[in-house]
């Protein structure tokens, strides 16, 4: 990935993670070839911390194809670039979360529009933790018997 103009575009979390991974791999390769090359410890720490954080976010399971499908599917809603980016990065799971992301949401979109957006988000940007949440919800519905302590 090559950034041609640092101030020209907003980056998604997925793009930041990919860029950091690429930079770290280049740094490692350069250090293998020339042991005298050293990178500032602060830079390495920041790269590590940001990468670790992003691995716990929705972007860790996203692919370029999913991003393209997601952005194509949201075109009819005429969202701003910043709104699309926030939805992509945060991957909201409820209409309430969408209301917090989209400016003047209730004036711009109906409840059906919000449901359609949620369906697009869920189908185009699947996450590993969705399965975990579904399992937890099912366990809660089953109602495990409570033990009594004497």
């Amino acid at each position: 990935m090559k950034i041609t103009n640092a101030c020209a575009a907003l980056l998604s979390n997925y793009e930041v993670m990919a860029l950091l991974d690429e930079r770290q791999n280049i740094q490692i390769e350069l250090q293998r070839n020339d042991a005298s090359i050293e990178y500032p410890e602060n830079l390495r720490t920041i790269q590590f911390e940001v990468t670790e954080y992003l691995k716990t976010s929705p972007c860790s399971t996203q692919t370029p194809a999913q991003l393209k499908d997601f952005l194509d599917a949201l075109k009819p809603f005429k969202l701003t670039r910043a709104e699309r980016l926030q939805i992509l990065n945060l991957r909201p799971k409820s209409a309430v979360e969408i209301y917090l992301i989209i400016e003047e949401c209730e004036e711009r979109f109906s409840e059906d529009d919000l449901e359609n957006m949620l369906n697009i988000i869920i189908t185009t940007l699947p996450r590993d933790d969705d399965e975990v949440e579904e399992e937890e919800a099912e366990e809660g519905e089953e109602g495990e018997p409570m033990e009594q302590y004497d």
Side-chain angles (χ1 to χ4, degrees):
M1 177 183 304
K2 185 175 184 180
I3 299 175
T4 55
N5 184 348
C7 297
L10 301 172
L11 296 176
S12 70
N13 287 351
Y14 174 81
E15 293 167 317
V16 171
M17 191 168 83
L19 180 64
L20 284 174
D21 285 342
E22 183 181 309
R23 294 299 312 157
Q24 287 173 339
N25 290 336
I26 290 170
Q27 290 170 356
I28 290 168
E29 189 61 34
L30 288 173
Q31 284 182 324
R32 277 192 197 133
N33 294 337
D34 185 359
S36 66
I37 295 176
E38 289 190 32
Y39 290 95
E41 191 61 32
N42 293 346
L43 173 64
R44 309 261 315 189
T45 302
I46 291 170
Q47 287 175 328
F48 175 78
E49 293 293 332
V50 172
T51 302
E52 289 302 306
Y53 167 75
L54 291 175
K55 286 179 182 176
T56 65
S57 73
C59 74
S60 64
T61 59
Q62 295 172 350
T63 65
Q66 288 175 337
L67 301 185
K68 183 182 180 325
D69 292 344
F70 168 77
L71 293 173
D72 289 343
L74 282 185
K75 280 184 183 175
F77 296 105
K78 295 181 174 53
L79 297 167
T80 66
R81 181 178 288 167
E83 290 168 340
R84 289 190 310 263
L85 183 65
Q86 287 292 71
I87 291 171
L88 178 63
N89 286 341
L90 299 174
R91 198 189 173 283
K93 297 178 185 177
S94 68
V96 173
E97 291 175 294
I98 292 178
Y99 271 98
L100 296 172
I101 295 169
I102 299 174
E103 195 171 325
E104 298 175 353
C105 187
E106 54 192 32
E107 287 90 26
R108 293 170 55 196
F109 302 106
S110 68
E111 291 296 321
D112 290 338
D113 290 337
L114 295 179
E115 280 300 316
N116 289 338
M117 277 188 226
L118 281 173
N119 288 333
I120 289 169
I121 294 165
I122 290 167
T123 56
T124 59
L125 299 174
R127 285 175 49 175
D128 292 340
D129 63 348
D130 284 341
E131 295 170 8
V132 172
E133 287 178 6
E134 287 175 9
E135 289 173 8
E136 289 174 357
E138 289 173 5
E139 287 175 7
E141 291 171 3
E142 291 174 5
E144 297 177 11
M146 295 188 62
E147 294 180 22
Q148 292 182 352
Y149 295 100
D150 293 327

